[in-house]
Amino acid sequence: MDRLIVTGGARLSGRVRAAGSKNAVLPIMAAALLADGEVVLRNVPDLRDVATLALILEQLGVVIHRDGDVLRLRADREGPCEAPYDLVSTMRASVCVLGPLVARRGHAQVSMPGGCVFGVRPVDQHLKGLNALGAGIRVEGGYLLSDVGRRLHGAHVFVGTRFGPSVLATANTLMAAVLAEGTTRLENAAMEPEVLELTDALIAMGARIHGRGGHTLEIEGVACLHGAEITIGGDRIEAGTFLVGGAMTGGDVTVDGIDPGHLTALRETLGAMGAKVTSGSDWMRAEGPARLEATDIATLPFPGFPTDLQAQVMTAMSVARGISVVTERIFPDRFMHVAELLRLGALIRKEGPQAIVEGAARLSGATVMASDLRASAALVLAGLVAEGETEIRRVYHIDRGYERIDARIRDLGGQVRREAQPRLEQSRKQW
Ligand code: EPU
């Protein structure tokens, strides 16, 4: 198992290109299950989550070829319909094969994804959307089962949670509705850029979707979809992570290959903290002052502040001047990074879905544990400003969603190295 060793003190500066978006490519890969022809995806990031979903799709009979950042997927109408626990349990996003399976094959046996480090994460709204279309999904033996055996039908459906629209419940319902008989009106659809990318991909495959980019989508079902060539857009969360790194190290980082309109909330936040943020058509640049100022954020559905950048910005706050308040409105338990930041000397008090962050004059390097993807990225950023060395264990989390993060931070002047984790010597003492 690998670990990252980060030596603090360097400023990040230079240009980095964002990899293709993880959360865009995953549902689009699943959408390949819907098409009669070959789906060709370009700018596919080299991530563990992409590899995991590719394995699941192969078990569902999809033929996949990867050549660099190009992924070719071809799925027959007939094929196996089981996505097993061992794979689904490692990546929640694999639940997005459910909609395509019931829509095209009329059968699905997909393991319930289960909870994760930031909460229970139910799938009730996925089931609500798909069952409204006639999927008849039931939970049995830890699996989501459907054996409807015929074409789904259009319906009027509202999918949403007490936290707002759901990204993947929208994706699942949308992917099922495109092949349903008749028209579906999907209300309260999520508007995250990744949902828009999925919508565009489905349209490129022949789907008829109206209201693209809005909260209400009208989908006229078609009998079949065809193959298409799709280029995945740059990852706004990866980009945001580099920009926060530039701002909090007093550096100057430009990220290319993104739509700056996807990062307006981050731009506002970094601006309020005293960084200078500028952008062009496909890049954004953050220049940090010697020390950032405190500010408050509340995570919200897009275009609000993204929950996937909450941990990284909290890290910046932990060395800013003054007191910041972070309110988590999407995943109220997504605070696993707090305990690890405390180990580095951060001054953070958690109160329910809020964290009160008092900027510390200094952090000092320590051994910390990565608990999930974005928390791991936050710990790398913390290591960049902590005195001495920070050792981050369980970095496989970070490889799920950041392409070669250590090498790319080194290219920006940060000191990060990857090492194999030495095995603990077996204690000979008998108890
Ligand atoms: N929720 C329900 N019922 C449902 C679905 C969701 O109660 O049926 C709740 C969730 O527990 C959460 C809220 O609704 O409290 C919103 O969750 P959402 O469904 O929007 O999240 P998701 O679709 O499972 C995607 C991203 C996450 C990102 C969230 C929010 C992918 C693969 N995952 O998850 O990304 O945090 O949207 O924007 O797109 C990450 O990349 O690190 C990551 C966790």
Side-chain angles (χ1 to χ4, degrees), residues 98-117:
L98 187 61
L101 280 178
V102 287
R104 184 138 181 257
R105 295 185 175 164
H107 296 274
Q109 189 177 348
V110 177
S111 172
M112 276 279 269
C116 73
V117 288

Side-chain angles (χ1 to χ4, degrees), residues 288-352:
R291 191 175 183 193
L292 291 171
E293 302 289 335
T295 193
D296 298 339
I297 57 163
T299 63
L300 288 167
F302 186 82
F305 193 93
T307 173
D308 292 342
L309 284 172
Q310 181 255 104
Q312 298 89 315
V313 166
M314 190 190 294
T315 303
M317 291 166 166
S318 66
V319 288
R321 190 181 295 111
I323 294 177
S324 305
V325 179
V326 174
T327 308
E328 179 52 69
R329 295 223 169 98
I330 305 291
F331 294 108
D333 296 322
R334 194 177 196 175
F335 287 107
M336 295 298 285
H337 42 286
V338 171
E340 303 305 303
L341 291 174
L342 293 179
R343 288 182 62 73
L344 301 175
L347 306 170
I348 305 173
R349 192 153 50 88
K350 190 181 159 300
E351 299 272 354

Side-chain angles (χ1 to χ4, degrees), residues 22-23 121-125 163 166-168 308 330 374:
K22 167 180 89 76
N23 289 348
R121 296 188 75 180
V123 289
D124 55 308
Q125 296 305 306
F163 306 103
S166 158
V167 173
L168 289 179
D308 292 342
I330 305 291
R374 310 302 172 187

Side-chain angles (χ1 to χ4, degrees), residues 63-258:
V63 179
I64 307 182
H65 294 288
R66 179 156 195 155
D67 182 10
D69 70 352
V70 180
L71 204 58
R72 296 171 185 277
L73 306 100
R74 185 182 284 273
D76 286 336
R77 185 170 287 273
E78 304 297 324
C81 293
E82 185 188 352
Y85 177 78
D86 285 345
L87 288 170
V88 174
S89 61
T90 65
M91 187 185 69
R92 273 191 62 85
S94 41
V95 73
C96 63
V97 300
L98 187 61
L101 280 178
V102 287
R104 184 138 181 257
R105 295 185 175 164
H107 296 274
Q109 189 177 348
V110 177
S111 172
M112 276 279 269
C116 73
V117 288
F118 42 97
V120 178
R121 296 188 75 180
V123 289
D124 55 308
Q125 296 305 306
H126 298 242
L127 304 194
K128 182 179 176 197
L130 297 174
N131 285 342
L133 304 177
I137 298 167
R138 61 189 192 280
V139 181
E140 218 174 277
Y143 276 77
L144 301 164
L145 298 181
S146 168
D147 44 20
V148 65
R150 61 185 140 71
R151 203 170 162 196
L152 301 177
H153 54 73
H156 185 161
V157 55
F158 180 101
V159 174
T161 75
R162 67 198 163 98
F163 306 103
S166 158
V167 173
L168 289 179
T170 301
N172 250 332
T173 311
L174 179 60
M175 287 191 281
V178 295
L179 286 187
E181 192 163 9
T183 301
T184 296
R185 188 178 164 85
L186 173 55
E187 288 199 47
N188 200 33
M191 286 172 53
E192 268 61 15
E194 296 77 18
V195 175
L196 202 67
E197 272 198 71
L198 172 65
T199 307
D200 287 343
L202 292 168
I203 291 172
M205 291 158 68
R208 297 210 187 112
I209 304 170
H210 310 282
R212 170 191 176 277
H215 276 309
T216 303
L217 300 176
E218 239 179 56
I219 305 129
E220 284 175 64
V222 294
C224 59
L225 294 185
H226 50 72
E229 285 207 20
I230 293 143
T231 301
I232 305 298
D235 194 310
R236 65 188 169 113
I237 305 302
E238 192 196 67
T241 305
F242 288 124
L243 292 168
V244 173
M248 67 186 276
T249 57
D252 179 357
V253 168
T254 302
V255 184
D256 293 306
I258 49 144

